[in-house]
Amino acid sequence: MELSVTLKQFRRLIDLVYIGNWVLNSARGDDRITEFDEVESLLFEKCRELGMEKLTETADGAAIPSRAFAEGGIHEAIMEYEDAIFFEILAEELARRDVIADGGTEDDAEQINERIGAYIAEFERNGTDNIVLNL
């Protein structure tokens, strides 16, 4: 197979592969999906051939993203995504809990969506400052 991309497109491609592999494997510990690590390694090996040596290093005989790559802003993009998803998931979970606690069901989409909107608005104003847990 042959794929023709510009250097700029290739650089974006390795960002995408890194982010995808991070999402799939970062929380798996030793139970990583090695097929994704292999694809990532293949592309980071190609960096050397394309004059992008600073983006890659070798560990256990495989090309991996370098510290410079990982610290070059890619994790900021991942963190922005995680922050957005965190609040969306939390809002939905709290909304479902509240609707059910008030006698509703999982099928009460209108009520759930109203409460999601209220929680999102609260999180936008105050983040997690007003969350209290009764342990």
Side-chain angles (χ1 to χ4, degrees), residues 22-61:
W22 173 268
V23 168
L24 292 167
N25 276 324
S26 66
R28 298 182 66 87
D30 291 334
D31 190 30
R32 293 179 69 84
I33 304 170
T34 58
E35 293 86 356
F36 292 105
D37 287 333
E38 291 167 1
V39 170
E40 181 184 76
S41 181
L42 178 71
L43 289 175
F44 277 89
E45 180 65 40
K46 191 75 172 163
C47 286
R48 292 184 179 125
E49 298 172 29
L50 297 173
M52 301 178 188
E53 298 86 3
K54 292 181 179 181
L55 302 180
T56 188
E57 55 193 51
T58 302
D60 298 323

Side-chain angles (χ1 to χ4, degrees), residues 42-131:
L42 178 71
L43 289 175
F44 277 89
E45 180 65 40
K46 191 75 172 163
C47 286
R48 292 184 179 125
E49 298 172 29
L50 297 173
M52 301 178 188
E53 298 86 3
K54 292 181 179 181
L55 302 180
T56 188
E57 55 193 51
T58 302
D60 298 323
I64 62 168
S66 68
R67 174 176 234 125
F69 174 85
E71 294 175 354
I74 196 75
H75 280 278
E76 290 173 14
I78 293 170
M79 287 173 40
E80 286 177 23
Y81 169 78
E82 288 175 340
D83 285 348
I85 292 301
F86 168 76
F87 286 114
E88 289 175 16
I89 291 170
L90 182 59
E92 183 173 347
E93 291 295 322
L94 292 172
R96 288 181 187 285
R97 177 205 62 188
D98 293 350
V99 167
I100 291 169
D102 289 346
T105 70
E106 290 277 332
D107 296 328
D108 293 328
E110 188 175 326
Q111 285 183 337
I112 291 170
N113 287 332
E114 271 182 39
R115 291 189 190 218
I116 288 172
Y119 277 118
I120 292 292
E122 168 62 24
F123 297 149
E124 287 173 352
R125 282 190 306 274
N126 300 301
T128 58
D129 290 348
N130 291 332
I131 295 177

Side-chain angles (χ1 to χ4, degrees), residues 13-29:
L13 179 61
I14 63 171
D15 285 348
L16 290 169
V17 168
Y18 180 85
I19 290 168
N21 198 24
W22 173 268
V23 168
L24 292 167
N25 276 324
S26 66
R28 298 182 66 87

